[in-house]
Amino acid sequence: EKGGYEFFMLKEMYEQPKAVTDTLSPRLKDGDIVIEELGMTDEEIRAIKKIYIIACGSAYHTGVTAKYVFEGLARIPVEVDLASEFRYRNPIFEPNTLAVIVSQSGETADSLAALREAKSHGIKVLGIVNVVGSSIAREADNVMYTWAGPEIAVATTKAYSTQLIAHYLLAMKFAKVRGEISEEVFQEMIEDLKRLPAQIELLLANKERIQRFANRYLATEHVFFIGRGIDYAISMEGSLKLKEISYIHSEAYAAGELKHGTISLIEEGTLVSAVLTQEELYKKTLSNVQEVKTRGAFVLAVTNAGNIEIEKSADYVIYLPKTNKYFANSLAIIPLQLFSYYVSLGKGLDVDKPRNLAKSVTVE
Ligand code: F6R
């Protein structure tokens, strides 16, 4: 059943190119994005005033990325909420708000409760769900399925990657309908989307190099993940992946926030992962890299191909193939998933079933 892989997590990481293709291709038609299951007319799309994205854990992290994508491309204000917080904070429900609930299992108790809360206030709910026929899929007004297939490992990888694709498709569609994107840019982005599966495959092929690197960090106690904008969202997911399966304490920090407290934790040899995919923020994060480096950190940098001057400041660099800036998460997360996997494997842990965790969290 593991198809020759030692753990499901590795198998599922390797299924990402296919999962992305399966989620993407049914919605790409004749140079356009067609999401029939959205159940919204162009007029309704133009009327949207606000989007709530509500989820837990990694699904929430895709929402953090999506906020940048929806706001950047479609110019629609987005609030991203943890489902367990949204329910209890007496959120403001106004007409023309769309609630998007993101869930692999479709059974997460807090996400389901948030869905019911939104619906009871007359807000339209769209589910981005992987498990067909699950509770969230059944109760949402409309469902956009991610076609990742069954995910067994507790740590999500391929479902996460397909959730990102669903957000990109929605944001591009909304941007187009609302006249916020030129046809030329839209077409370029579609080409970039189509390139993602092969680019993910290329990054996965790098696994031995990442395994050698991970094996040097099996005894490490703390890791910091830093980035700005979408790179901060990527860092949040990289940090969660590491702590849940390797039991190493890690924190994700918005790079500019480091000097407001956390930098005091950096000492000789502390591992810092820095993600620098957003070119307009590159120099800013580079200066944060230099700051932690001066304090003795060992820096792993994940950045776009061509940014070779980073090698003066970072100790270990992973280069990513070129894509649209809004799609960077889909590529940058791959080496971070592999890193977590190989740290867990190297420590001899049960990668697929980390202690204290369940695949689907059906209690509040
Ligand atoms: C982390 C992970 C969890 C889930 C979260 C939400 O690897 O898998 O953080 O993302 O429990 O689960 P779903 O998506 O099933 O609602």
Side-chain angles (χ1 to χ4, degrees):
E1 48 179 22
K2 286 185 202 153
Y5 292 97
E6 199 163 354
F7 284 101
F8 280 110
M9 185 179 170
L10 187 63
K11 175 172 182 269
E12 289 164 4
M13 284 191 285
Y14 268 79
E15 285 168 351
Q16 289 181 110
K18 179 176 187 304
V20 165
T21 303
D22 291 350
T23 302
L24 197 57
S25 52
R27 284 133 183 164
L28 297 181
K29 288 192 185 107
D30 309 321
D32 202 359
I33 292 173
V34 181
I35 313 171
E36 272 150 22
E37 62 273 39
L38 184 60
M40 291 177 90
T41 62
D42 285 359
E43 208 171 318
E44 286 169 320
I45 292 173
R46 278 191 286 267
I48 299 173
K49 290 225 159 56
K50 179 175 161 181
I51 301 175
Y52 277 125
I53 302 177
I54 308 157
C56 301
S58 296
Y60 168 79
H61 296 153
T62 71
V64 179
T65 297
K67 176 181 168 73
Y68 294 100
V69 185
F70 277 106
E71 292 189 343
L73 280 179
R75 309 303 292 154
I76 305 172
V78 176
E79 273 190 63
V80 195
D81 269 89
L82 291 164
S84 57
E85 290 293 317
F86 181 82
R87 298 174 59 182
Y88 304 115
R89 76 169 166 86
N90 197 10
I92 296 163
F93 293 106
E94 283 170 324
N96 298 317
T97 297
L98 174 68
V100 180
I101 311 278
V102 190
S103 178
Q104 186 286 126
S105 64
E107 301 297 346
T108 302
D110 282 313
S111 304
L112 182 59
L115 176 157
R116 290 176 178 156
E117 173 81 8
K119 264 184 92 173
S120 73
H121 285 85
I123 299 298
K124 188 179 166 80
V125 176
L126 172 70
I128 295 180
V129 179
N130 194 50
V131 176
V132 176
S134 56
S135 302
I136 293 173
R138 279 187 278 110
E139 293 195 29
D141 294 305
N142 295 87
V143 189
M144 186 172 174
Y145 280 112
T146 51
W147 299 113
E151 194 177 61
I152 311 290
V154 163
T156 183
T157 53
K158 62 176 180 169
Y160 174 88
S161 286
T162 57
Q163 287 163 358
L164 289 174
I165 298 296
H167 290 303
Y168 304 157
L169 289 169
L170 280 172
M172 287 173 65
K173 176 85 198 166
F174 289 0
K176 186 168 173 176
V177 170
R178 294 164 70 105
E180 295 287 351
I181 192 172
S182 72
E183 187 56 28
E184 193 191 340
V185 173
F186 186 82
Q187 292 305 327
E188 275 169 19
M189 291 183 83
I190 286 187
E191 291 312 307
D192 281 330
L193 281 175
K194 289 186 193 158
R195 275 182 213 113
L196 287 175
Q199 292 175 326
I200 292 171
E201 206 159 302
L202 206 75
L203 288 162
L204 286 166
N206 220 352
K207 71 176 195 308
E208 272 91 19
R209 181 172 173 243
I210 294 174
Q211 181 171 22
R212 281 195 299 276
F213 176 73
N215 281 335
R216 290 157 56 185
Y217 283 92
L218 305 181
T220 223
E221 287 180 1
H222 307 280
V223 180
F224 293 90
F225 289 80
I226 62 168
R228 289 168 186 257
I230 287 177
D231 294 337
Y232 175 41
I234 299 167
S235 298
M236 291 167 87
E237 175 62 6
S239 173
L240 179 62
K241 282 281 90 77
L242 182 69
K243 69 185 107 185
E244 70 177 324
I245 61 172
S246 77
Y247 314 150
I248 292 172
H249 166 246
S250 66
E251 279 186 56
Y253 248 80
E257 189 64 12
L258 265 186
K259 52 167 92 57
H260 297 283
T262 314
I263 201 162
S264 67
L265 292 166
I266 306 292
E267 46 186 28
E268 198 58 41
T270 305
L271 178 59
V272 175
S273 150
V275 181
L276 309 92
T277 67
Q278 305 294 301
E279 289 301 332
E280 69 274 22
L281 299 169
Y282 177 74
K283 287 219 161 62
K284 300 277 176 199
T285 307
L286 186 62
S287 85
N288 300 124
V289 166
Q290 286 154 352
E291 281 159 12
V292 294
K293 188 76 211 144
T294 316
R295 286 155 182 89
F298 186 94
V299 179
L300 159 70
V302 179
T303 192
N304 302 336
N307 288 340
I308 49 166
E309 69 282 18
I310 187 100
E311 291 180 20
K312 286 192 220 125
S313 317
D315 299 279
Y316 197 89
V317 184
I318 294 165
Y319 291 109
L320 305 171
K322 194 175 153 21
T323 188
N324 184 281
K325 67 173 181 176
Y326 291 114
F327 306 154
N329 193 335
S330 295
L331 302 180
I333 199 59
I334 305 298
L336 299 183
Q337 289 171 346
L338 286 168
F339 174 68
S340 303
Y341 175 81
Y342 282 115
V343 172
S344 178
L345 188 77
K347 290 178 80 165
L349 301 172
D350 186 345
V351 180
D352 287 340
K353 288 199 192 65
R355 67 188 180 204
N356 309 340
L357 286 168
K359 180 65 182 163
S360 133
V361 184
T362 52
V363 290
E364 305 181 3

